[in-house]
Amino acid sequence: MDVEALRAVVQRYLRSHLLDAACYWADKVCSLSADAPQDLVTLAHCYLLTSQPQRAVQLLRRSGRLRGDDECRYLAARGLYETRLYQEALAVLQPELETAPGGRAAPPLLDITDVAGRDEPAHILLLKGRVHEALENRPLAAECYRAALMADVLCHEALDALVGHQMLTLDEEQKLLEELPFEQQLPAADAAAVRQLYQLQLKKYTAPGEADDPEVPPPLTENNDVLVCRAEQLYYNCDYAQCFKLTSRVLERDPDHARCLPIHLVCLLERRRTNALFQLAHRLVDAYPERALAWFAVGCYYYSVGKMEPARRYLSKATTLDPVFGPAWLAYGHSFALENEHDQAISAYFRGSQLMRGCHLPLLYVGLEYGLTNNARLAQQFFSQALAIAPRDPFVMHELGTILFASRDYAGAERLLTAALEQVQHESHTVAADRWEPLLNNLGHTYRKLGRYSEALEAHERALVLEPQSASTYAAIGYTHALMDEPARAVDAFHKALSLKRDDAFSTQMLGSVLEQLLSSQAVLDSPTALLVPITERGSPTPVTPVVTPAAAAAGGSGVTGGGSGSAGLCTSLRLMDSSDDMSLELDDTK
């Protein structure tokens, strides 16, 4: 038989995706050529393409070429990686790696020069990164991905792993982009275009339309991947309406776009389109039952309709299928947080923070849970870290402002809450308006503590426009009128609060105090020497200290607390951003 002719047949069948036929004839070519290296590699490729990684590994091990042939070494490690034998795959890729007792690999020094110094091709470095990531050695995985990009700037899979899996902070991403040798590896025009494409993928926290916003070549402006990058940028800047429009356009062209689907899912969740979310989740499960994203979509649907038990079950399945899928861990934590299971929620959020170093959301959620458990010091630390990553996020500013209020730093709270309100009022922010009622109420409480009663009333009245049936807002308005020595208006506001919530202890107590004040004011007409004693912030007839506490979110109230009973409003922003290969999904809920 003509070996060269059969080799051509194998390649033809591979191009035609007749993989079984290609495997059959590749095996015959190996026998005819006495296991020539090129034929062994071709047969191993065929086994991997037909989902037979064990056969590929066995073939290459029998050949004895794992140490001397980089291609054989790569294919064998790839087969071991696909069978989840990660330690063996690492041993094939790095035979010089010493092993520690118990069979675990001793971690080498995390130096990119050492990783790239072996002068290995990008695909081997990329596979090393995948293996280290599977072994939960994410720092070394990030170094391998960096080295792969340094070896080949067009190895976008390495960049996608770094950015999509949130392995780097924003500063580290920018530093990496500056270090990549575009000009040394590409023509000048191509180098500029590739740099712009990569820059667009990195600038997710930058406000759209800034002067340094990268411009891609005109033919690529409508490319699906470019549109997804812009959608992710809009999402992180809370412009959910425009983000949803872009993701819808992309999915009209490519209904299964892997990087677009997570962002579209969380936009549906944010915009409360449960029917569309149900239909999309159903389609994904039918089409891709082996993918974590499909079960993540199902979990998001059950989360959106308030069924936490099935939501946890399906989100847990998503994390099992893909342990590094950060959004699933965040949503899993939300399902516990909404039922006040703080320890389990914190555990899930910490797992998410380990997987998403460059994302502020896990830090925000950990801070929320610590705030709900009255650990203000730790909550403030996590909120500050989240604010350093996402300085424009109004959710982070709001939560940090409430913690400062609880710590009696009213000036700092007023600064942050005002900044959050300015961000919300920006036309690009399209979060549902009623989500910001607690922000306005908390700002009103802060103004009252600072003695700025007119501004406090204005803030509470604006909150009342967003949520007209809020008893706590009427109670706050009544209390402010009482402090301004306007008892008649205070009585009217407290009556409205009690009509909406009959068992409001604070409103009941304050109504009695204000009525006594009204009666005493009538005594002034009869006795000029009678003095009217106004209610003051620190000296009311009974100690009443309105506070804004994180515990309000757990209690489900949003108002003022009096004498240790009741709860004040706190917007619990449970936003979810995807990060795996993509995402960058978000879940929001106001309790």
Side-chain angles (χ1 to χ4, degrees), residues 437 440-441 458-474 477 496 500:
E437 176 259 339
L440 290 167
N441 271 329
E458 182 183 355
H460 290 310
E461 287 167 358
R462 290 174 65 185
L464 205 58
V465 173
L466 300 181
E467 191 65 43
Q469 301 299 314
S470 174
S472 60
T473 304
Y474 280 113
I477 291 174
K496 289 180 180 178
L500 295 170

Side-chain angles (χ1 to χ4, degrees), residues 164-423:
H165 292 186
Q166 306 279 0
M167 289 188 170
L168 304 177
T169 64
L170 184 61
D171 291 338
E172 291 172 339
E173 290 176 353
Q174 294 297 335
K175 182 180 178 181
L176 172 64
L177 192 66
E178 294 171 1
E179 293 175 348
L180 290 180
F182 293 105
E183 289 74 14
Q184 289 81 1
Q185 297 184 18
L186 300 172
D190 292 347
V194 173
R195 183 184 292 275
Q196 289 170 342
L197 287 171
Y198 286 3
Q199 181 72 21
L200 182 64
Q201 191 167 345
L202 298 181
K203 293 173 69 65
K204 58 180 178 288
Y205 284 114
T206 305
E210 288 193 350
D212 59 343
D213 204 30
E215 292 294 334
V216 298
L220 294 177
T221 53
E222 290 299 311
N223 178 268
N224 284 344
D225 289 331
V226 172
L227 292 177
V228 170
C229 289
R230 296 198 183 281
E232 187 177 10
Q233 189 181 30
L234 290 167
Y235 177 79
Y236 273 101
N237 284 274
C238 298
D239 191 352
Y240 303 127
Q242 290 300 320
C243 177
F244 181 73
K245 289 180 181 178
L246 281 184
T247 57
S248 299
R249 281 173 57 191
V250 172
L251 293 179
E252 284 178 4
R253 304 176 189 172
D254 184 359
D256 298 320
H257 194 287
R259 290 187 59 233
C260 183
L261 280 170
I263 305 174
H264 189 71
L265 279 170
V266 292
C267 281
L268 289 174
L269 187 62
E270 171 63 31
R271 295 169 67 82
R272 303 170 185 174
R273 298 195 177 187
T274 55
N275 290 338
L277 185 58
F278 172 82
Q279 293 173 1
L280 180 56
H282 196 281
R283 182 177 69 80
L284 290 175
V285 169
D286 286 343
Y288 307 106
E290 75 288 350
R291 291 191 185 179
L293 179 63
W295 300 106
F296 169 71
V298 177
C300 286
Y301 167 73
Y302 281 109
Y303 176 90
S304 69
V305 297
K307 296 182 177 180
M308 295 302 125
E309 183 58 36
R312 273 196 290 273
R313 183 165 65 251
Y314 290 114
L315 291 169
S316 177
K317 184 170 183 176
T319 60
T320 301
L321 290 172
D322 186 358
V324 298
F325 189 30
W329 284 105
L330 296 186
Y332 189 59
H334 298 340
S335 67
F336 286 111
L338 287 183
E339 295 185 342
N340 298 325
E341 299 286 348
H342 303 302
D343 291 339
Q344 293 91 329
I346 289 175
S347 177
Y349 292 148
F350 266 122
R351 176 60 177 164
S353 67
Q354 293 170 357
L355 299 174
M356 306 166 71
R357 283 186 61 231
C359 183
H360 72 291
L361 295 176
L363 300 171
L364 170 62
Y365 304 146
V366 172
L368 278 170
E369 294 306 308
Y370 278 124
L372 292 168
T373 54
N374 296 320
N375 194 331
R377 183 179 61 82
L378 281 177
Q380 185 171 350
Q381 289 179 7
F382 281 101
F383 287 147
S384 299
Q385 293 176 37
L387 191 63
I389 297 175
R392 292 186 178 90
D393 194 309
F395 293 95
V396 181
M397 291 187 231
H398 175 245
E399 305 303 342
L400 184 55
T402 59
I403 290 295
L404 292 180
F405 184 101
S407 303
R408 305 195 178 195
D409 182 2
Y410 303 124
E414 188 268 338
R415 176 177 53 82
L416 283 168
L417 293 173
T418 302
L421 185 60
E422 290 174 356
Q423 288 291 325

Side-chain angles (χ1 to χ4, degrees), residues 131-175:
V131 173
H132 283 300
E133 188 174 7
L135 290 171
E136 300 187 4
N137 192 344
R138 292 175 68 82
L140 188 53
E143 296 299 338
C144 290
Y145 292 142
R146 287 179 179 178
L149 275 170
M150 297 296 289
D152 181 3
V153 294
L154 295 179
C155 185
H156 179 266
E157 192 171 349
L159 179 70
D160 197 51
L162 287 169
V163 177
H165 292 186
Q166 306 279 0
M167 289 188 170
L168 304 177
T169 64
L170 184 61
D171 291 338
E172 291 172 339
E173 290 176 353
Q174 294 297 335
K175 182 180 178 181

Side-chain angles (χ1 to χ4, degrees), residues 33-51:
S33 65
D35 291 338
Q38 68 182 84
D39 298 325
L40 282 171
V41 168
T42 300
L43 181 56
H45 269 295
C46 291
Y47 285 150
L48 291 173
L49 291 172
T50 54
S51 301

Side-chain angles (χ1 to χ4, degrees), residues 517-560:
Q517 184 180 4
L518 275 174
L519 292 174
S520 65
S521 66
Q522 293 296 325
V524 175
L525 299 175
D526 302 328
S527 175
T529 60
L531 294 178
L532 177 65
V533 181
I535 298 175
T536 63
E537 185 80 24
R538 295 186 179 181
S540 55
T542 54
V544 180
T545 307
V547 296
V548 181
T549 63
S558 61
V560 282

